[in-house]
Amino acid sequence: MSTVLIIVLIVVVVAVLAGVAFVVLNGRQGASGTRGLQRRFGPEYDRAVARHDGDTKAAERDLGERVKRHGSLQLVPLDPAAREQYTARWTVAQERFVDSPREAVAEADRLIAELAGERGFPTADHYEDQVEALSVHHAHHVHGYRKAHRAALGTADPETATGNETEELRAALIEARELFEALIADHHTGNGAARTGGISTRKGSTGITSKGVQHG
């Protein structure tokens, strides 16, 4: 076999091996990217896939763009007085649920929008941007805010509509509270473990617990 032929064969083998390595590496990176997005967004990942009619690539592009736009957002700490005021306002809103469920949820929606803006997220005037940013940093809780916002607008959540308005409002308020508690906690000053313990959910006081509406 001539030297030239040997060189040609070596070049071909190297090119084939490089192509195989490229395909394998890309596959691993794609899988890693998918797993990373699934871990980061949790239920938001499934929601994005559903919104794109099952097109995972389109959903991942969408989520990736969210991370680019909002991933570097720096949260603004709340001072203790502001935290107490927000907690007190939430308690009042929650206590209104028995007599005025829709008004209570509407107030919860406004409170979260205002609180998110104060923490450094886009303001309530830019609801879609605000929700996208919240989904990047609070993916496991943002759906409760969506439910409360729809309920405040008088629009049922198509994913959880039951036909029982009071029950849907109760569920919206409870799920929205999870995001409220996450936003009220201040991880930047060592108070990350602080929860809104002042929010009363005792039977007979607010009429709402983590299990359901309490009827007198």
Side-chain angles (χ1 to χ4, degrees):
M1 184 179 292
S2 69
T3 302
V4 174
L5 183 56
I6 292 174
I7 293 174
V8 170
L9 288 174
I10 291 173
V11 171
V12 170
V13 170
V14 170
V16 170
L17 291 175
V20 171
F22 177 79
V23 170
V24 171
L25 181 61
N26 273 2
R28 288 179 178 174
Q29 289 177 339
S32 175
T34 295
R35 287 194 296 271
L37 288 171
Q38 287 175 327
R39 284 195 299 269
R40 177 164 194 161
F41 284 95
E44 273 294 297
Y45 181 92
D46 296 332
R47 183 178 183 277
V49 171
R51 286 182 62 238
H52 288 279
D53 299 320
D55 187 339
T56 57
K57 290 185 178 180
E60 289 173 4
R61 283 196 299 271
D62 180 5
L63 296 175
E65 285 299 318
R66 292 191 205 180
V67 174
K68 288 180 182 178
R69 288 195 298 271
H70 306 293
S72 60
L73 182 147
Q74 297 296 313
L75 297 185
V76 178
L78 281 177
D79 62 62
R83 182 177 293 106
E84 289 181 8
Q85 289 173 2
Y86 277 113
T87 301
R89 289 170 61 190
W90 184 276
T91 300
V92 170
Q94 188 166 275
E95 288 174 346
R96 293 184 63 190
F97 186 87
V98 173
D99 296 322
S100 305
R102 186 172 296 283
E103 286 77 4
V105 173
E107 176 61 16
D109 174 56
R110 287 191 294 270
L111 268 173
I112 290 176
E114 183 179 333
L115 175 58
E118 187 161 344
R119 292 307 310 270
F121 291 92
T123 64
D125 294 337
H126 304 281
Y127 171 75
E128 294 298 335
D129 283 342
Q130 187 181 68
V131 170
E132 283 196 357
L134 286 167
S135 76
V136 172
H137 296 271
H138 298 285
H140 290 270
H141 304 311
V142 71
H143 185 57
Y145 179 31
R146 287 197 188 96
K147 289 180 70 171
H149 189 70
R150 291 194 188 103
L153 296 176
T155 305
D157 186 337
E159 298 176 11
T160 58
T162 64
N164 184 329
E165 182 182 34
T166 300
E167 175 63 19
E168 289 168 12
L169 290 169
R170 179 201 65 83
L173 185 59
I174 288 176
E175 290 188 37
R177 184 175 63 195
E178 294 177 359
L179 178 58
F180 177 82
E181 290 180 338
L183 288 170
I184 208 75
D186 194 340
H187 299 276
H188 292 273
T189 58
N191 296 323
R195 303 281 286 178
T196 50
I199 298 177
S200 173
T201 57
R202 293 174 299 173
K203 296 179 181 179
S205 60
T206 64
I208 181 171
T209 71
S210 60
K211 294 182 179 180
V213 176
Q214 301 299 318
H215 301 282

